Amino acid sequence: MGWLWPIAAVLAPLIPMRGMFSSEKVYCFRDMGQEFWPMTQWFKLSTAAGEYPLWDPFLGYGQSAVADPVRSLLFPPVVLVRMLFPEALALNLAVGLAIPLAALGAYLLIRRTLSAPSAAVGAVAFAMAGPVLSTGNMLNFVWSVALMPWVIWAVLHVADRWSGPRFVAASACIALQLLAGEPATNAATLCLALLLAVAVEPGGFRDLALRGARGLGAMLAGLALAAVQYLPLLNAVVQSERGSRAANLSFWSVHPLRLVEAVAILPFGDPLMPPATEPWVAYLNSGREPFLLSLYLGAAVVVLALLGCATGPRRRAVVWAVAGAMALLFSLGDHIPVYPTVVGLLPVLRIFRYPEKYFVVVALCTALLSAEGAEALIRGQANAIRTAAIAGGLLTLATVGLAFVAHDEPRQAIMLSAAGVAIAAAIVAGIAAVARRPGLAAWAPVALLCVVGAELAFAGFGLNPQAHTASLIRPLWVASATVRDDRVYVGGRAGCPPPTGGQGQDVDTIAPQAAFPKSVPVSALPALVSAKTAQFPSRWGLREAISVDNQILFPREYKDAVRAFCERNGADRCRFLERTGVRVHLLNKPPAGYFDTRTPVEMLAPVVAYSSSVDSPRCAVISGSRVEPDTATAVAALFREDFDPASEVLVGSESVPAGTRSEAAESSARIVRDRSNEVTVEVSATSDSVLVLYDSYDPDWRVEVDGQTAEMVRANGLFRGVRIVAGQHTVRFAYRPRSLIVGAIITGISLVCLVGLMALAWRRHERGPLRKR
């Protein structure tokens, strides 16, 4: 009957994630509705069209898609789910399946040293903790967290004793977590796994060095397996501002007062409500909703964790307690000087945003310590009852003390939570007493699992809200904007600061004022606004000029152009947008220039889509050219009234005209094949000219003219250009990312080596019985 414990541990998290089986509603809060839901739709549309989208031609004049691990283009579990199921069900399963997987991984990790009932309690304590359930709002984050215990379990497994299968399993787990695409969690997990490999088990220097070497070897192999994703990501980071920006350690860090949430359910208000209606939530979270909607670990779980610290094996208890304490200090960001000091010593940590993420490590360490406490309780240790009572009493007093730091409503909520902590401690102590009675001892672990699961399920309800897909359908203005091959500009997308000395937002920022339908839950409103304004334009094939760079992976040249855009007045901005193919403006008020069509954006009045009937082609043949190696200068020309991009193009370097010379009646360019990773243009030029394609320049694009390789140049600072001789030509642009190719080669070689290692281990295993005979 021992198999019932892992089954119970895996099934319990399905209670708060009950919406994962819906095909009519989708997880919608914050990133799920604004990014991951439309991203799923875009992926389904692209693959249905017969192509795998390595490049996204719709976002910010076009940007690399495969370089961004958040899109999960190379993460096998999400890709498989997306391929097998319809859009809504695919997204829900992609999120929901990670939580029971987290429970199973935690069960295996704890089962290495503890009994099945204790492992089940610890697994539920981890998978159903508020911080873990909160990661369901971010697809890459939830999978990275779910794979944490798997990585640690596999690394410890191979550190204990090296064998081919163990090494391959550890490498595969590490690679999977890396491919999930949340670098901060990846780094924290690997550091924790390596620490545990050398610190959990006793031994001399040689033994510890061997354990560390085995774990480190598996990590290197896992990194090689994930090279197909991380080389493109590294290439994008090098070309972007992400690696060089100053770290903002105050934004989305855990405020020390929020730590009461570990045992109190929403004492400061509902994080799903707008910050203006929940002032305490906004105050404690940099004016926004928290990054992790809940820090709730469970009163019973924390009491068990304290019991585990007091009664568990000294080495394990110390290691888990120290690891959890360090993660807690890191999660506080710059509220205390620990993490800023570490970032100063290790500047590479600046690429890891939002220190609050480290709290999931606190959740894992607490869950593992709670399993140690459950073990002591279930085994009926003599001091378990007294220790649980003392731990509960101290925790209750600490909660009451924090209540006096807060005021008004939070104080009342925290005081009520203190009573809940006292009750939970009494229940844990009661179960400990039951465990010492021979006739009832068998029911103690069942009761403990039910108490922990019920408490966390109650707190976890609502942390992953859903919206009906019917409320997130394509708005009417998008349908009209995609009739022609033009671009769109949505006001405020550039993230421009307010005017110097001014208050509020940039003049272009759209500000919906109409009342939303009462049928739409408050938690779904950001997703609704995102859908109506096409925040992820790729989902509907809508080409956008200026897009939100959530991952800070867009090239520096593009970000410099956006900053230059912010510094200009309305007339200059419209001139720039018109010259780069923008025909539709989504604004609160009419833009400069003539726009003959006005389409109100439903539910977002007074926002209107202003459209012009003037042609804005994506490609053009320009007879005049001038070399301008400075990208900023070339971009600045697009704002100038005295510059005529129809007669002159600024190219980044000299190049040899390509193609076969012939006669042409007139100069023209027409796109005849338009795919995500390939664009083919038929060109006629009466003289030697430059073909300009108003899509983002990227050195990984290759160009052929009449079947022969040609040299691509940067045109007007941002776009692709190629010199051609007079005549008629076929010009083909193809996206061939070198970092992806090199990464795929490294991944392939690593995979072959690991498969060979498995085959060798299998052959040795088969020969063993023959030798005995």
Side-chain angles (χ1 to χ4, degrees):
M1 296 293 287
W3 51 270
L4 289 176
W5 291 107
I7 290 177
V10 170
L11 292 181
L14 297 181
I15 299 172
M17 299 302 295
R18 61 200 181 283
M20 63 184 287
F21 301 107
S22 175
S23 58
E24 296 180 349
K25 295 182 177 181
V26 292
Y27 293 120
C28 66
F29 189 72
R30 201 165 52 205
D31 290 21
M32 291 309 302
Q34 298 171 0
E35 190 168 350
F36 291 107
W37 166 234
M39 199 177 287
T40 301
Q41 294 177 299
W42 163 74
F43 179 87
K44 296 286 287 187
L45 289 172
S46 298
T47 52
E51 61 178 345
Y52 204 82
L54 305 178
W55 178 267
D56 184 345
F58 307 109
L59 207 63
Y61 298 114
Q63 302 294 344
S64 175
V66 73
D68 184 1
V70 168
R71 295 181 183 241
S72 300
L73 293 177
L74 301 175
F75 183 53
V78 171
V79 171
L80 184 62
V81 169
R82 284 173 174 172
M83 290 286 194
L84 293 177
F85 299 100
E87 294 172 350
L89 184 59
L91 176 69
N92 293 331
L93 288 176
V95 175
L97 288 175
I99 301 300
L101 184 75
L104 182 58
Y107 178 87
L108 293 175
L109 174 60
I110 299 169
R111 192 67 179 89
R112 295 179 68 254
T113 53
L114 301 179
S115 64
S118 300
V121 171
V124 169
F126 173 63
M128 296 176 66
V132 175
L133 293 178
S134 295
T135 64
N137 296 311
M138 294 147 283
L139 186 57
N140 61 318
F141 197 13
V142 70
W143 276 97
S144 294
V145 171
L147 290 166
M148 284 176 62
W150 287 91
V151 170
I152 297 172
W153 168 76
V155 169
L156 292 179
H157 210 50
V158 76
D160 289 342
R161 180 174 61 84
W162 192 95
S163 71
R166 293 186 178 206
F167 185 83
V168 172
S171 303
C173 289
I174 292 167
L176 269 180
Q177 195 200 34
L178 290 171
L179 290 173
E182 208 300 293
T185 311
N186 299 152
T189 305
L190 294 180
C191 289
L192 182 58
L194 193 58
L195 169 66
L196 294 171
V198 299
V200 169
E201 299 296 334
F205 176 79
R206 182 175 179 277
D207 292 334
L208 297 181
L210 281 175
R211 291 177 60 84
R214 292 168 189 156
L216 187 60
M219 292 178 188
L220 293 176
L223 185 61
L225 270 180
V228 66
Q229 177 65 82
Y230 272 77
L231 282 186
L233 173 61
L234 180 62
N235 182 59
V237 169
V238 169
Q239 297 182 54
S240 71
E241 297 179 346
R242 177 151 187 162
S244 59
R245 65 185 176 86
N248 184 355
L249 303 180
S250 61
F251 188 68
W252 269 337
S253 295
V254 174
H255 191 285
L257 190 55
R258 277 195 71 200
L259 294 180
V260 73
E261 288 185 27
V263 293
I265 301 176
L266 305 181
F268 304 110
D270 187 352
L272 296 175
M273 297 295 289
T277 65
E278 304 288 339
W280 269 93
V281 171
Y283 170 75
L284 296 176
N285 295 282
S286 307
R288 290 198 58 178
E289 78 284 353
F291 183 76
L292 297 175
L293 295 182
S294 171
L295 302 184
Y296 191 72
L297 302 176
V301 171
V302 175
V303 170
L304 285 172
L306 294 174
L307 176 61
C309 287
T311 61
R314 182 63 54 192
R315 182 181 292 268
R316 287 206 305 266
V318 168
V319 170
W320 287 120
V322 170
M326 287 302 300
L328 176 60
L329 294 177
F330 279 22
S331 71
L332 297 176
D334 67 352
H335 291 298
I336 61 172
V338 175
Y339 190 55
T341 301
V342 175
V343 172
L345 296 174
L346 299 172
V348 69
L349 295 179
R350 291 182 300 182
I351 67 173
F352 300 154
R353 298 187 292 170
Y354 316 144
E356 197 164 323
K357 294 176 181 177
Y358 294 112
F359 204 83
V360 296
V361 180
V362 178
L364 177 62
C365 295
T366 304
L368 292 168
L369 286 171
S370 73
E372 297 283 0
E375 185 77 0
L377 185 152
I378 292 169
R379 290 184 180 276
Q381 288 191 13
N383 60 345
I385 301 174
R386 182 185 60 188
T387 305
I390 293 174
L394 293 175
L395 190 60
T396 303
L397 290 175
T399 307
V400 172
L402 284 172
F404 287 97
V405 179
H407 302 280
D408 303 326
E409 295 172 2
R411 173 179 294 178
Q412 298 173 19
I414 296 172
M415 290 295 289
L416 185 62
S417 297
V421 171
I423 293 172
I427 292 174
V428 171
I431 295 175
V434 169
R436 299 191 64 188
R437 298 179 66 87
L440 299 175
W443 293 100
V446 176
L448 190 61
L449 182 63
C450 290
V451 168
V452 169
E455 180 187 20
L456 294 176
F458 175 77
F461 272 110
L463 288 180
N464 293 281
Q466 291 183 300
H468 203 288
T469 55
S471 64
L472 306 177
I473 61 175
R474 182 175 68 171
L476 294 176
W477 74 268
V478 169
S480 61
T482 52
V483 171
R484 303 184 343 178
D485 198 18
D486 299 301
R487 298 195 185 277
V488 63
Y489 166 63
V490 179
R493 211 75 110 204
C496 301
T500 304
Q503 299 293 327
Q505 298 173 311
D506 180 66
V507 293
D508 281 357
T509 301
I510 58 176
Q513 298 172 4
F516 292 102
K518 293 183 179 180
S519 59
V520 180
V522 174
S523 59
L525 290 181
L528 175 66
V529 174
S530 172
K532 300 305 179 185
T533 59
Q535 181 167 321
F536 190 81
S538 315
R539 71 192 297 183
W540 293 312
L542 185 68
R543 300 184 186 278
E544 190 172 43
I546 296 175
S547 299
V548 176
D549 184 12
N550 277 335
Q551 317 310 328
I552 319 180
L553 289 177
F554 289 0
R556 290 188 183 89
E557 295 82 2
Y558 177 84
K559 298 302 286 287
D560 289 341
V562 172
R563 277 190 284 268
F565 179 88
C566 290
E567 296 168 358
R568 308 290 171 150
N569 59 34
D572 287 347
R573 290 182 180 186
C574 283
R575 186 179 300 115
F576 172 85
L577 293 171
E578 180 183 349
R579 290 172 172 179
T580 58
V582 173
R583 190 178 64 88
V584 180
H585 293 234
L586 213 67
L587 297 168
N588 276 6
K589 58 183 180 180
Y594 175 72
F595 291 84
D596 50 9
T597 304
R598 292 165 172 79
T599 307
V601 180
E602 58 263 37
M603 301 186 193
L604 300 187
V607 182
V608 173
Y610 298 91
S611 304
S612 170
S613 59
V614 177
D615 271 341
S616 302
R618 266 179 62 210
C619 56
V621 177
I622 313 297
S623 57
S625 64
R626 177 162 52 91
V627 175
E628 177 50 73
D630 184 64
T631 302
T633 302
V635 170
L638 294 171
F639 294 95
R640 297 201 326 255
E641 192 172 0
D642 61 350
F643 177 71
D644 182 11
S647 60
E648 183 183 35
V649 58
L650 303 180
V651 296
S653 60
E654 291 283 2
S655 61
V656 178
T660 304
R661 193 176 296 275
S662 61
E663 295 292 329
E666 60 178 357
S667 293
S668 63
R670 181 172 65 94
I671 296 176
V672 295
R673 181 177 173 81
D674 195 5
R675 311 274 284 177
S676 294
N677 310 320
E678 179 186 343
V679 180
T680 302
V681 186
E682 286 187 352
V683 184
S684 293
T686 57
S687 62
D688 289 8
S689 305
V690 177
L691 167 67
V692 179
L693 177 64
Y694 290 101
D695 288 356
S696 291
Y697 174 89
D698 187 293
D700 282 330
W701 278 89
R702 303 288 183 266
V703 62
E704 294 178 353
V705 179
D706 299 331
Q708 299 296 317
T709 301
E711 182 180 356
M712 188 176 68
V713 295
R714 188 183 288 274
N716 291 338
L718 293 176
F719 308 110
R720 298 172 217 158
V722 57
R723 291 185 182 274
I724 54 174
V725 299
Q728 297 183 356
H729 310 284
T730 298
V731 180
R732 177 176 174 268
F733 295 88
Y735 185 55
R736 300 292 183 266
R738 287 166 290 188
S739 56
L740 177 67
I741 295 171
V742 174
I745 292 173
I746 295 174
T747 295
I749 294 173
S750 304
L751 190 59
V752 169
C753 291
L754 291 177
V755 170
L757 187 61
M758 283 292 293
L760 183 61
W762 180 79
R763 289 187 62 184
R764 289 178 176 175
H765 177 74
E766 289 295 309
R767 288 177 179 176
L770 293 177
R771 290 174 181 171
K772 291 179 181 180
R773 292 176 187 175

